[in-house]
Amino acid sequence: MRIARFSTGEGVSFGVVEGGPGEEFVSAISGHPFSQVQFTGERLPLSQAKLLAPMLPSKVIAIGRNYAEHAAELGNEVPEEPLIFLKPSTTVIGHGEHIAYPTTLSDRVDYEGELAVVIGRLCREVPVERVKDVIFGYTCANDVTARDLQKKDVQFTRAKGFDTFCPLGPWIQTDLDASDLALTTTVNGEIRQSGRTSQLINDIPALVAYVSAVMTLIPGDVILTGTPAGVGPLEVGDEVSVGIEGIGTLTNKVVSRD
C-alpha cells in the first residue's frame, strides 16, 4: 500500500495511491494512517493533488558510512558500530519541493540518495527479531549535505541541518521487503549513484534495534539507512532524483536560498 500526504488547496489529507504510472489516483482516508485505514470515498487523479512530505517526523535519525564503498570514497574507515546523527524536523520537504542551497554559507552541497525507514509504533529497546512489528513502511530520501561544512565542523549538525536538506517521498510503501532493493540517484537525468540495500553494512533490523536502544522512537520518526558510493555536488538549477525499486522516485530541484 502506498500512503501519501497531499494537498488539494482545500486542506491536507492522507490517501492511498493506486493505479499504474500515468494513471495513478489517490483515495483519501480519514484520520491518521498509523491507525486503521478508513476510506472517505473521495478519489481524485494524482495529477490534481500536490504531494507533500509523507510524514512530519519528530526526528530524523541518519546513519553514516553504512556502505563500504561510500566510506572509502570520502577517505573514511567503516565504523565498528553504526554512526548515528540527527537531522532537524525542519529539514524535511516533499517530492517536487525545492532544495534551498545556502550559497553564502557553503561552497559544496552534495546529494545522498537513501532508503528511509518509517516507524509506526512508539517503541524503545526493540529486539532485532521484533523490528518488523514497529516499521510502518519505507520511502525515498535525500540526505543533502553541505560537504565543506561537514569537513570544517567535524560533527555533522550544521552540514546536515539546513532547512530543506531532507527531501522525503513521494509516499510511504507499507508492503515491501526492503532487504535487497535497487537504489539509483540521478542529477539532470544522469545516473550518479547505483546500489542495493543488500550492500548495507548494518541491515535494517540491526539499525532499528541499535537506534531504539539509544532513544525512544515515535510513530512517524524516520531512520535514514545510509547512502551508496557516488555522492557528489549539486548546483543551483539541478534536478536530483532518488529512485528505489518497489517504492518510486523522489525528485527535487535546487534553488538558491540567498
Side-chain angles (χ1 to χ4, degrees):
M1 185 180 296
R2 293 176 290 176
I3 301 292
R5 181 170 162 267
F6 67 97
S7 170
T8 60
E10 298 180 357
V12 176
S13 302
F14 286 98
V16 176
V17 178
E18 302 175 271
E23 299 180 350
E24 293 160 320
F25 59 90
V26 58
S27 297
I29 59 177
S30 60
H32 202 284
F34 295 139
S35 58
Q36 187 174 0
V37 171
Q38 294 183 327
F39 292 95
T40 66
E42 179 187 3
R43 182 177 173 184
L44 71 159
L46 187 62
S47 60
Q48 296 180 18
K50 175 179 171 54
L51 289 174
L52 306 173
M55 81 297 296
L56 297 175
S58 75
K59 54 188 173 292
V60 177
I61 307 101
I63 310 298
R65 305 171 193 166
N66 202 26
Y67 285 80
E69 291 185 2
H70 168 61
E73 73 178 344
L74 295 183
N76 297 311
E77 299 291 333
V78 173
E80 294 183 4
E81 296 181 294
L83 172 62
I84 64 176
F85 57 92
L86 294 174
K87 292 175 78 80
S89 59
T90 47
T91 60
V92 173
I93 57 173
H95 172 76
E97 295 187 78
H98 291 161
I99 298 168
Y101 194 130
T103 53
T104 61
L105 296 174
S106 174
D107 294 325
R108 175 165 171 172
V109 169
D110 284 12
Y111 55 82
E112 292 190 9
E114 308 199 11
L115 173 72
V117 179
V118 182
I119 299 299
R121 292 175 53 183
L122 183 72
C123 60
R124 182 171 176 266
E125 297 180 345
V126 183
V128 168
E129 63 272 14
R130 294 287 304 277
V131 164
K132 64 180 184 300
D133 297 332
V134 306
I135 292 177
F136 180 71
Y138 304 90
T139 192
C140 306
N142 190 344
D143 177 20
V144 182
T145 304
R147 191 71 68 200
D148 54 342
L149 301 184
Q150 184 183 24
K151 292 179 180 178
K152 179 179 179 181
D153 295 351
V154 182
Q155 53 82 26
F156 296 174
T157 303
R158 182 165 62 139
K160 303 279 191 175
F162 285 96
D163 291 356
T164 75
F165 270 27
C166 190
L168 296 172
W171 41 63
I172 304 168
Q173 176 60 258
T174 62
D175 184 17
L176 186 68
D177 177 358
S179 61
D180 186 25
L181 303 176
L183 185 158
T184 303
T185 303
T186 65
V187 178
N188 303 324
E190 178 184 343
I191 295 176
R192 300 289 180 84
Q193 290 182 287
S194 181
R196 302 194 68 87
T197 57
S198 56
Q199 298 170 324
L200 290 169
I201 296 168
N202 301 283
D203 64 13
I204 293 165
L207 292 177
V208 175
Y210 186 86
V211 171
S212 68
V214 177
M215 64 190 78
T216 298
L217 299 174
I218 297 172
D221 281 353
V222 171
I223 299 176
L224 307 185
T225 57
T227 194
V231 300
L234 293 167
E235 303 294 340
V236 172
D238 284 346
E239 183 176 83
V240 56
S241 297
V242 179
I244 301 179
E245 180 183 5
I247 300 176
T249 302
L250 166 70
T251 299
N252 302 91
K253 188 172 182 179
V254 182
V255 301
S256 175
R257 193 186 77 165
D258 306 306

